Amino acid sequence: MEPPELILPGRRGPRSGTPQRPRIGIVKFASCDGCQLTLLDLEDELLTIADRVDLVEFAEATSRRSAGPFDVLFVEGSISTAEQVQEIARLRAVSHRLVTIGACATAGGIQAIRNWFDPDEVRAAVYPEPTYVESLAQARPVADFVAVDGELRGCPISPGQLREFLVALVTGRRPQLPDEAVCLECKRRGVVCVAVAQGIPCLGPVTRTGCGAICPAYGRGCYGCFGPRESANTTSLARWLSDDRSAADVGRLFAGFTAWSVPFRATIDAYGGPPGQVLPARETDDA
Amino acid sequence: MPAAYFLPRNELDRLFGALVADGRRIVGPTIADGAVVYDELNSSAELPYGRTADTAPGSYRLRTTGDRRAFDYGVALTSWKRFTHPSLIPLTRAHRDADRIVVESVLEEPPKLAFVGVRACELAALGIQERAMRAGPAGDPDHAARRDAALIVAVECAMATSTCFCTSMASGPEVDHGADLVLSELDDGFVVRVESDAGVPVVASLGLRAAAPDEVERATAQVAAVREVIGDPVAANGLAARLRTALDHPRWSEVAERCLACANCTLVCPTCFCTSVGVASDLDGADASTERSWDSCFSLGFGRVAGDANFRPKVRDRYRQWLTHKFSTWWDQFGSSGCVGCGRCIAWCPVGIDVREELAAIAPVSAPTGPIPWPPSPPEGRAPAALATITPARHVIATVRSVVPETADSVTLRLATNDEAVLDARPGQFVMVELPAFATPPISISRIRPGGLDLTIRSAGPATAALTGLVAGAQVALRGPLGRGWPIDAAIGRDVVIVAGGIGLAPLRPVIEAILGERPRFGAIRLYLGARTPRDRLFVAEMNALAGRADVEVAEIVDRAGPEWLGQVGIVTQLFDQAGWDGSRATAFVCGPERMMQATAVTLAERGVNPTAIWLTLERNMACGVGTCGHCQLGPFFVCRDGPVFSVAELGTAFGREGL
């Protein structure tokens, strides 16, 4: 799928006059807050950003609150409760552009691994008083519930990509967010391929770049936190990896932060499910 | 001067010292993270002594040999292009201040390097990439500067890895030309040959003794043994022709099931040169810069054009593009194979796809040879016109004099400049148009006049939206004029048929004006204009004026219209598929959406117009404009450099072929 048009009307280029500062909100659902905090990592330009955009909702940084409307709403976290299903629908209605940020919002996140298990047993295994926990049977990406205009991937998202997104937003150009494989970044950086030179399983060839190839640069295989790239040929990679390891080990490689993304999920299913006690799979649609 | 000298093993650092004394930094093989890589070396102690590499499809493993040899590892992971064609270089710096803009090229001073350990295959690769990057009309200045600043110390191979096939590609293992110095490593030292003037003082400063005959013999014997070991694994003779006839082979789909399209093969390839340009800016878009980085025909975005159309959406298309370019159309473009048989693409493929096997399956020696799908090279007399003045790094600032609204989503920018090269533009040429902080689209020239150019631009994305939003007084940066224009002279004394679809009329307007400027030299002139709706018609007043002339025939048609439209409704070919004129005397110029041009070419041919006289202008992802970034490749052509205007005959079956 081609990326949706993210440019705001009236923000097309340098000669469009001085448009209003876009009203920006940042909200979260089931997630750790790490992605929204990435905005605060843009330390050098934080004051300029705060001047060029009107940050009307960002609980991590300001007590100012807004119910909308938003020109752009950044959404972190997966949808895990019935309450969240209603809230994301409300937010969508008051947002001109809705952009999901991070592995939880874009793919369901690490918590989506529970989607393969019986929710009652998962609750009982985690909480001493599971009766107080009201969650859906599955943790799912925002795009399963409302239309999404754009996404920033990663666990957490890349400060560079967030900056690029914001700059593109205020200058009126298309954000440059590559959808190609991590491998290109390894080769550009001169990082030796851990898969070929050391036999370390690596999801780089099927994972979207944007992290700067951090894991391979430190001698680890990519574990896919940016989720599947365009044309992710997980079938071929999994087949190749299965020459040297059990089917369960192959499935486990894909069962990380973006396990619930469609190509990774299919591969996990084809190789015997996610790690842990394999319980009967549930129906996938309780929402 | 003896034919060869001898450098004792323990004196290798003296050679390094002589290279440093020559003002050079030394780049050579060393071990990093389980592989031999080329990196900057401080002393010969950092060489991979006593280590070798075992390679196989999808596998590379270092192994200790127990001997003291430094150069027995095959080839390093990264090729020397990392130093002649770096993975990331700054390209331009731009600044915008109210209406004024400045765009300037950034050309870094290349470091003075000595490449130590260059293999025969790699030497061939350096030459091949250099030819590609320097091929006209304008070479890449960064590549040329870096290559010229490097001194090459080659080392002849004393072993082969299982993925080597230089023998088949006639690129090794013997080093016969292109190096400054050539070393052959023996157990006790190196036989040193001086092969260039630059190498003479380096060796002279070492005071080496002449190599003994038995040392030279051992060196010769050991490289001869490598040739025997490798054998001749790829049937290269006739391979380019066999591949040309195999574009529909079912194996392309089979290999696409295994191929990850991860681009590793292209990025480790020592000859692949494709790049993309990224834009960065501050939050206001006032200070911007562009960078050029390695890219690959395996990435989906590589074939994308405005409006998110894509010419190579399938992995099958991308694998075919890579393999046929490397082994077939490279010959058409640069007069050699694009492969040197280094084997990197085999070893570093994460799923072990072996190019030797794919070639044997897709283009076996027994393959039938049929007619080639396109002529082997552009016909005589069609060399790029008026391009000698183009410097890829030169930006001309032009000022918007006025903005003429054309349709709901397109305007004409009337630009003023006194730059002679820009004003020398020919009908059918295009310019790259840059605004700081935006991508740089190619825009065809819609009028050439004293003191300036007109550009008619449709808003199809943010960059073109920014351009169509400009007002009088604003500035843009131009690179060009670029490409091969319409061959108007070929139509002299003949009838002229012009067929335009929508915005496709823009690059045709200079043809119309040039022909009407010399009206008596041409026969009948017929204009057939199509548009989506009456509101999408371009240059309406001008076309109406032409329609009023007795010596020009103008017919218009729209795809769909309301009751206000009294003209014809349908597709543009309906305007002439029943016409009475004799096409054998006509030259046709066609521009519009690619499918419209295909239909038009068919109808014109049915009307008797010779395919050599049907000219059309193609849209591809033109980025550099001078044939060095690879984006706009179509079979044996770079559309930016060899086109964008082509005859139907030149394109052959490359025209309209899906995924090419």
Side-chain angles (χ1 to χ4, degrees), chain B residues 422-497:
Chain B
V422 170
L423 294 175
D424 195 32
R426 304 297 157 87
Q429 286 195 297
F430 65 97
V431 285
M432 304 301 301
V433 187
E434 184 166 347
L435 281 177
F438 284 83
T440 305
I443 306 287
S444 50
I445 296 164
S446 64
R447 175 168 281 156
I448 303 159
R449 52 185 165 72
L453 300 174
D454 285 6
L455 302 177
T456 302
I457 305 169
R458 188 167 68 89
S459 173
T464 44
L467 288 169
T468 54
L470 293 176
V471 295
Q475 293 186 323
V476 296
L478 306 177
R479 275 195 302 118
L482 298 166
R484 203 177 63 150
W486 303 103
I488 295 174
D489 288 353
I492 291 171
R494 296 167 61 81
D495 295 344
V496 177
V497 179

Side-chain angles (χ1 to χ4, degrees), chain B residues 4 12 65 71 112 140 149 176 184 202 214 256 267 274 287 290 303 314 365 368 372 379 383 398 506 550 570 605 627:
Chain B
L12 194 54
T65 60
F71 294 97
K112 215 175 151 193
D140 174 59
D176 50 18
S184 297
V202 176
D214 78 294
L267 269 52
C274 289
D287 283 301
T290 60
K314 295 178 182 154
V365 180
I372 59 171

Side-chain angles (χ1 to χ4, degrees), chain B residues 162-393:
Chain B
S162 79
T163 43
C164 291
F165 60 105
C166 61
T167 47
S168 295
M169 306 316 296
S171 64
E174 305 84 4
V175 177
D176 50 18
H177 66 279
D180 295 295
L181 300 176
V182 182
L183 309 186
S184 297
E185 183 174 27
L186 305 176
D187 286 335
D188 47 350
F190 299 86
V191 173
V192 182
R193 287 165 16 220
V194 182
E195 304 250 320
S196 78
D197 292 345
V200 172
V202 176
V203 169
S205 71
L206 297 174
L208 302 177
R209 69 166 169 84
D214 78 294
E215 288 162 345
V216 175
E217 257 172 52
R218 274 188 282 152
T220 309
Q222 104 186 343
V223 73
V226 171
R227 173 171 287 278
E228 287 302 310
V229 166
I230 297 174
D232 186 12
V234 173
N237 193 20
L239 179 59
R242 296 199 300 277
L243 273 172
R244 276 198 292 250
T245 63
L247 295 181
D248 296 315
H249 199 288
R251 181 85 176 197
W252 298 118
S253 295
E254 292 165 34
V255 68
E257 283 176 18
R258 286 186 293 146
C259 176
L260 305 177
C262 62
N264 277 304
C265 49
T266 53
L267 269 52
V268 296
C269 176
T271 68
C272 275
F273 55 84
C274 289
T275 53
S276 282
V277 173
V279 181
S281 76
D282 65 353
L283 276 149
D284 300 318
D287 283 301
S289 58
T290 60
E291 296 178 326
R292 185 180 80 184
S293 59
W294 287 352
D295 205 341
S296 169
C297 53
F298 278 97
S299 294
L300 179 67
F302 199 71
R304 211 175 263 151
V305 294
D308 284 334
N310 199 310
F311 289 100
R312 286 185 219 106
K314 295 178 182 154
V315 173
R316 181 201 66 183
D317 304 335
R318 300 180 229 165
Y319 190 87
R320 184 177 67 182
Q321 160 66 21
W322 175 66
L323 200 78
T324 54
H325 189 210
K326 205 98 290 203
F327 292 92
S328 183
T329 50
W330 204 291
W331 284 95
D332 298 314
Q333 294 184 312
F334 308 115
S336 76
S337 169
C339 173
V340 296
C342 71
R344 285 181 176 92
C345 60
I346 303 169
W348 297 98
C349 173
V351 290
I353 296 172
D354 188 334
V355 71
R356 296 168 297 189
E357 275 179 25
E358 298 311 313
L359 287 169
I362 292 165
V365 180
S366 60
T369 49
I372 59 171
W374 44 72
S377 60
E380 294 285 319
R382 287 284 294 145
L387 288 179
T389 51
I390 300 311
T391 308

Side-chain angles (χ1 to χ4, degrees), chain A residues 66-117:
Chain A
S66 169
F70 306 100
D71 287 316
V72 179
L73 183 69
F74 292 101
V75 179
E76 182 194 276
S78 63
I79 303 300
S80 296
T81 70
E83 207 174 31
Q84 289 173 342
V85 174
Q86 289 178 357
E87 178 64 1
I88 191 66
R90 183 191 74 78
L91 287 166
R92 174 70 265 191
V94 295
S95 302
H96 187 68
R97 293 279 186 262
L98 190 149
V99 177
T100 48
I101 59 171
C104 300
T106 58
I110 195 73
Q111 60 270 34
I113 291 178
R114 74 176 167 86
N115 297 359
W116 273 274
F117 300 93

Side-chain angles (χ1 to χ4, degrees), chain A residues 20 26 41 43 47 74 93 139 155 164 172 184 208 219 259:
Chain A
Q20 298 261 306
I26 304 176
D41 291 343
E43 294 160 2
L47 293 177
F74 292 101
C155 182
E164 166 61 18
L184 281 101
R208 181 182 288 197

Side-chain angles (χ1 to χ4, degrees), chain B residues 544-563:
Chain B
N544 286 344
L546 285 182
R549 285 175 65 142
D551 60 348
V552 181
E553 180 189 327
V554 180
E556 287 193 80
I557 195 166
V558 297
D559 289 348
R560 53 180 195 279

